[in-house]
Amino acid sequence: MDIPELGFSIEIGEITLTECETVNQFQGSKTQPPQFTRGYGLVFGMTERKAISMALVDRALRWAELGEDYLGAPAQDEEFVLYHCDNIQATGFLEHIKLPHYVDFQSELELIRKLRRDAQQMQEAAE
Amino acid sequence: MKEYNFAYLDEQTKRMIRRAILKGLAIPGYQVPFASREMPMPYGWGTGGVQVSAAVLTPDDTLKVIDQGADDTTNAVSIRRFFQRTAGVAVTEKTGEASVIQTRHRIPEQALREGQIIVYQVPIPEPLRFLEPSEVETRKMHALEDYGLMHVKLYEDISQHGDIATAYAYPVKVEGRYVMDPSPIPKFDNPKLDMAAIQLFGAGREQRIYALPPYTKVVSLDFDDYPFQPTKADHACALCGSTSSYLDELITDDAGGRMFICSDTDYCATRVEDAA
Ligand SMILES: [Zn+2]
C-alpha cells in the first residue's frame, strides 16, 4: 500500500493470485497485418483454468479494436459477458420466482381460456 | 432507532436516488440508470422499490405495502417490517390513509389521490427486452422512438391468436413518447395508470428508475380494430360481492370446486365491514 504522505510503501498482507497471458493467432484484417495478439486474465487464488478462461474471453472481446468481424458469438458481446459473469445479478431473477405470482397467473388464465374458447368456436364453425 | 440512518440508506445514496427520480419525473416513461445498492434482501424481492421508498419516505409518512394486492403476503409483510424497524414510520393497510404505497403486481382498487405516492417493484424495466435482447439496441430504439418491432409483435399476436396475447406487464405509451413497462400488473389495472398520485418504478437488479407525474397521459398499445380491453374473471367476489374488482381464483376442493375473491384485501375487507 502506498502512503503518499510518507513517500514509501508498506505491506499490509499477501494474497495469492493467478495471472495468465495467452498468445493468440491473428490472421490480420483490413487494418492490421498478421501478428500474434494477447489476452489477459487475473484471478484470486490458484485457479489456472479460471485465469485462462478469463484471458480467452478478454481476447474475444477485443474483436472490434483489432478490426475482426463480429461473428455473433456470445463471447464477443460485452453485454452478454458482463451479465453472465455477475453472479449476484444472475441470481436475482431466479430468486424472485419463489414469490407468489397468482395475480399475473390469473390474468394469463383468463387470456388462455378466451383464446381456447375462440379457437373451439372457429373449429366448430368450420365443421 | 440509532442503529440505522433513517430508512436504512445513507443520505448520500438517497440524494443520488432522488436525482434519478426527479429526472424520471421530468422525462415520463424514460428509464433512468441509477447506482442501485445491495440491500439486505435478495435481488428480485423488491430491492428497487425499497430503495425508491427509502428515498421518498419522511418521518411523517404513513406506509402501506402490498404484494398481489394483499397486505398479508410474505414480501409485503417483510418490507413493511423493514421500514418500521429502519424508519419508524407509521404503517397502515388502508389505501386511503397511506401517503406512500409500495406495491408488487397490483394497483389498489380505490382511486389514489393527489399527494399520494405509489412505488412499483419492477423485475424487468425494458418493455422491448423480449423482442430485442441487447440493451445497447433497445436504448437506441427508445432514443429514435423506433417502436415498429413492438407493433409487429402485437400484430403477429392477432394474426396467430386472434387477440393480443399479453395479459400482464401490458406495454403502454406515455405522453405520446416513450413505450413503458407498467411492471407485471394485470392489464385490468392499466386504465388506472392515468391517476392523480405520483407513480415511481424501481428496478434494483436492473438498476433503473422511471416515473409518471400525476395526470400523465398513459395509453395501452392497441389497434383501431383491436382496441385494448382490460379483463377480469367474469364473476362477483364471493366475500364482498363486488363485480368491478380484480379477482383471484381459489381451488377449494379436489372436485374442481372454486371461488373467486378480490385480490385487493383492503378493498374487500372494507366492503364487508361497511355491509355489516
Ligand atoms: Zn371482495
Side-chain angles (χ1 to χ4, degrees):
Chain A
M1 190 177 171
D2 286 322
I3 313 285
E5 292 86 351
L6 302 178
F8 57 86
S9 307
I10 53 164
E11 185 182 312
I12 55 168
E14 278 181 26
I15 38 170
T16 306
L17 296 171
T18 307
E19 190 180 32
C20 172
E21 272 190 89
T22 52
V23 176
N24 303 64
Q25 210 183 62
F26 177 48
Q27 316 272 333
S29 67
K30 285 185 205 94
T31 55
Q32 301 279 332
Q35 59 189 289
F36 287 113
T37 55
R38 281 184 300 183
Y40 182 77
L42 180 74
V43 299
F44 289 120
M46 287 206 277
T47 43
E48 291 178 348
R49 250 180 304 177
K50 204 166 163 184
I52 296 169
S53 310
M54 191 173 171
L56 290 174
V57 172
D58 174 58
R59 170 61 187 82
L61 286 171
R62 291 181 56 203
W63 64 273
E65 102 189 47
L66 293 168
E68 288 176 322
D69 288 333
Y70 178 63
L71 304 171
Q76 288 182 302
D77 181 352
E78 276 172 356
E79 235 186 278
F80 184 93
V81 169
L82 288 173
Y83 277 147
H84 288 78
C85 288
D86 186 342
N87 292 308
I88 298 169
Q89 219 274 358
T91 57
F93 192 76
L94 286 180
E95 198 68 31
H96 110 282
I97 295 175
K98 294 204 284 189
L99 288 171
H101 283 82
Y102 44 81
V103 162
D104 12 331
F105 179 73
Q106 187 69 39
S107 61
E108 295 243 272
L109 196 57
E110 305 296 341
L111 179 68
I112 295 251
R113 280 174 180 154
K114 180 180 182 301
L115 295 178
R116 289 178 66 95
R117 210 162 43 228
D118 292 350
Q120 203 183 354
Q121 276 166 2
M122 289 241 293
Q123 209 172 6
E124 280 166 8
E127 277 165 10
Chain B
M1 275 307 298
K2 288 201 181 71
E3 299 94 324
Y4 297 99
N5 188 44
F6 178 75
Y8 187 79
L9 292 174
D10 61 279
E11 294 304 311
Q12 209 47 41
T13 297
K14 285 196 236 172
R15 237 174 115 179
M16 172 272 293
I17 294 171
R18 285 172 193 148
R19 281 197 199 108
I21 292 171
L22 288 173
K23 181 166 180 179
L25 285 166
I27 317 171
Y30 171 73
Q31 299 166 54
V32 185
F34 80 110
S36 179
R37 300 292 191 246
E38 283 190 38
M39 298 299 283
M41 61 188 67
Y43 277 122
W45 281 45
T47 52
V50 163
Q51 291 178 78
V52 169
S53 291
V56 299
L57 275 177
T58 67
D60 301 329
D61 272 314
T62 303
L63 177 72
K64 171 183 166 80
V65 187
I66 48 172
D67 175 13
Q68 313 293 299
D71 298 87
D72 57 358
T73 33
T74 312
N75 195 225
V77 170
S78 52
I79 291 171
R80 187 165 60 240
R81 283 200 192 136
F82 174 77
F83 282 118
Q84 277 180 294
R85 181 183 292 181
T86 61
V89 290
V91 295
T92 182
E93 295 191 2
K94 298 270 171 243
T95 300
E97 288 172 13
S99 52
V100 177
I101 301 172
Q102 181 167 332
T103 180
R104 179 169 174 266
H105 295 192
R106 272 314 307 279
I107 298 176
E109 303 293 352
Q110 185 183 330
L112 301 185
R113 53 163 206 280
E114 283 182 23
Q116 287 183 305
I117 298 175
I118 180 163
V119 178
Y120 297 81
Q121 299 173 202
V122 180
I124 297 172
E126 179 48 71
L128 305 168
R129 179 60 66 239
F130 288 103
L131 306 173
E132 168 52 62
S134 163
E135 175 73 7
V136 172
E137 291 303 320
T138 51
R139 290 193 70 154
K140 234 182 269 172
M141 290 159 74
H142 283 294
L144 300 173
E145 213 177 331
D146 176 9
Y147 296 126
L149 204 56
M150 180 61 96
H151 288 105
V152 169
K153 190 259 173 198
L154 299 178
Y155 175 76
E156 282 179 351
D157 272 8
I158 291 170
S159 57
Q160 194 181 343
H161 306 291
D163 211 337
I164 293 173
T166 299
Y168 62 92
Y170 191 103
V172 295
K173 190 141 195 191
V174 178
E175 284 292 339
R177 178 57 179 86
Y178 285 100
V179 166
M180 187 192 95
D181 184 327
S183 90
I185 55 173
K187 66 177 179 176
F188 172 84
D189 281 341
N190 272 30
K192 299 181 199 159
L193 290 161
D194 244 307
M195 68 161 78
I198 294 173
Q199 302 178 76
L200 306 175
F201 299 79
R205 185 174 58 88
E206 300 262 348
Q207 314 189 339
R208 293 291 185 276
I209 285 171
Y210 49 105
L212 297 172
Y215 307 111
T216 299
K217 192 172 160 219
V218 181
V219 178
S220 301
L221 299 183
D222 63 359
F223 296 101
D224 290 341
D225 48 347
Y226 281 89
F228 171 78
Q229 279 175 328
T231 51
K232 63 181 275 286
D234 192 15
H235 292 268
C237 171
L239 301 177
C240 75
S242 173
T243 52
S244 60
S245 69
Y246 190 76
L247 302 172
D248 288 333
E249 181 174 342
L250 303 183
I251 307 294
T252 50
D253 54 36
D254 290 343
R258 61 196 65 205
M259 68 190 284
F260 291 85
I261 58 165
C262 294
S263 112
D264 185 332
T265 49
D266 170 54
Y267 172 83
C268 195
T270 307
R271 279 176 55 88
V272 170
E273 265 169 44
D274 289 351

